């Protein structure tokens, strides 16, 4: 089956930028998503990008997609303590009926 | 995006009892809802796809007689964990799909603890 991989942990200082990376194997990916999960909560959709786009910016969030390398990243500018959470990358392909999730990256923001 | 609620938020039950979890799409008519479970420090695992008015589609390895899914209306799907055992303790999350970007919106989850 298709695979989505992320690094497990990332620590940054408050005010710095965070970059969370994700790689995937599905060459027919149509949409790619970033979700945020805080402890004991469900998943919050942060943003998504269509596979024919290279970049999408939404306030402090910037998504970069390198379709050739099947690499997706999420940059959070001016990271705050409230950004501490687990971030999941997910993708869905042309004929797939469900999302494929990465393992999640635990982002810790240090004061 | 769509607003999804779940009830209850958490439940503790004795081994052998059955537990029903409700998932409601509050502002969106969902012909399809998804049920996931998540173990601590792990990603989400899709259990089944719930189709309004028809039988749910279960993922490989998920026992349909143990995890009963009913999707009787466009706004409500229920997951019943029958004869629950401690190994069924988990975080159960439902989701609906819709929107221009084929987005999936998730409920807040239900924490099930089986003693």
């Amino acid at each position: 089956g298709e695979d989505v991989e992320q690094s497990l942990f990332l620590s940054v200082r408050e005010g710095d930028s965070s970059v969370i990376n994700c790689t995937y194997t599905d060459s027919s990916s149509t949409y790619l998503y970033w979700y945020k999960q805080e402890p004991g909560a469900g998943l919050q959709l942060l943003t998504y990008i269509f596979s024919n786009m290279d970049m999408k910016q939404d306030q402090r969030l910037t998504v970069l997609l390198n379709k050739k390398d099947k690499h997706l990243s999420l940059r959070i500018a001016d990271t705050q303590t409230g950004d501490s959470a687990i971030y999941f990358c997910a993708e869905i392909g042309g004929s797939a009926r469900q999302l494929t999730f990465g393992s999640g990256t635990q982002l810790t923001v240090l004061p | 995006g769509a607003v999804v609620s779940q009830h209850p938020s958490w439940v503790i039950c004795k081994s052998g009892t059955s537990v029903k979890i409700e998932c409601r799409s509050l502002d969106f008519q969902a012909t399809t809802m998804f049920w996931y479970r998540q173990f601590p420090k792990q990603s989400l695992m899709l259990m089944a796809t719930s189709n309004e008015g028809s039988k749910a589609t279960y993922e490989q390895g998920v026992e349909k007689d143990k995890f009963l899914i009913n999707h009787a209306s466009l706004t409500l799907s229920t997951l019943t964990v029958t004869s629950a055992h401690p190994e069924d303790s988990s975080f159960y999350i439902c989701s609906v799909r819709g929107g221009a970007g084929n987005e999936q919106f998730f409920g807040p989850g239900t924490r099930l603890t089986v003693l």
Side-chain angles (χ1 to χ4, degrees):
Chain A
E2 303 302 344
D3 194 27
V4 177
E5 293 194 357
Q6 302 175 239
S7 53
L8 293 180
F9 302 100
L10 175 65
S11 291
V12 299
R13 293 259 175 222
E14 193 173 11
D16 288 350
S17 292
S18 309
V19 179
I20 303 171
N21 295 300
C22 171
T23 57
Y24 60 97
T25 58
D26 186 358
S27 56
S28 66
S29 260
T30 50
Y31 291 98
L32 298 109
Y33 307 87
W34 284 104
Y35 287 91
K36 176 183 180 183
Q37 186 179 36
E38 298 186 59
L43 272 67
Q44 174 195 355
L45 177 65
L46 291 177
T47 187
Y48 70 91
I49 189 167
F50 188 48
S51 59
N52 68 353
M53 298 167 66
D54 298 323
M55 186 183 87
K56 182 177 181 181
Q57 186 154 2
D58 184 1
Q59 299 183 335
R60 290 193 298 125
L61 305 179
T62 303
V63 178
L64 295 178
L65 174 61
N66 182 327
K67 197 172 179 182
K68 174 176 168 288
D69 294 338
K70 298 190 182 70
H71 181 268
L72 182 74
S73 67
L74 174 69
R75 179 177 180 269
I76 306 173
D78 187 26
T79 314
Q80 303 298 307
T81 54
D83 295 324
S84 292
I86 299 176
Y87 290 80
F88 289 96
C89 164
E91 65 90 19
I92 192 163
S95 60
R97 55 185 178 86
Q98 71 245 20
L99 289 174
T100 301
F101 282 93
S103 56
T105 299
Q106 172 74 60
L107 173 65
T108 302
V109 182
L110 306 171
Chain B
V3 178
V4 183
S5 71
Q6 284 183 238
H7 178 81
S9 301
W10 57 269
V11 56
I12 301 172
C13 69
K14 290 184 178 179
S15 191
T17 59
S18 293
V19 175
K20 181 186 281 188
I21 302 170
E22 291 186 349
C23 175
R24 291 184 186 274
S25 176
L26 299 182
D27 59 352
F28 178 78
Q29 292 193 322
T31 54
T32 303
M33 291 184 177
F34 303 89
W35 285 97
Y36 293 82
R37 70 187 293 184
Q38 185 182 31
F39 291 107
K41 310 283 187 193
Q42 293 189 24
S43 190
L44 279 71
M45 183 193 82
L46 180 67
M47 299 175 66
T49 303
S50 166
N51 303 297
E52 187 264 337
S54 64
K55 291 182 180 179
T57 304
Y58 290 81
E59 295 302 303
Q60 194 171 5
V62 178
E63 299 175 58
K64 56 184 170 185
D65 294 331
K66 178 157 187 69
F67 298 100
L68 300 178
I69 290 172
N70 185 290
H71 191 158
S73 77
L74 290 172
T75 59
L76 173 64
S77 176
T78 60
L79 168 68
T80 302
V81 183
T82 62
S83 186
H85 288 93
E87 57 266 28
D88 298 323
S89 297
S90 189
F91 194 51
Y92 292 87
I93 311 176
C94 71
S95 171
V96 304
R97 180 184 290 164
N102 224 17
E103 304 99 300
Q104 265 185 243
F105 301 98
F106 289 80
T110 297
R111 171 76 57 196
L112 170 64
T113 302
V114 185
L115 302 176

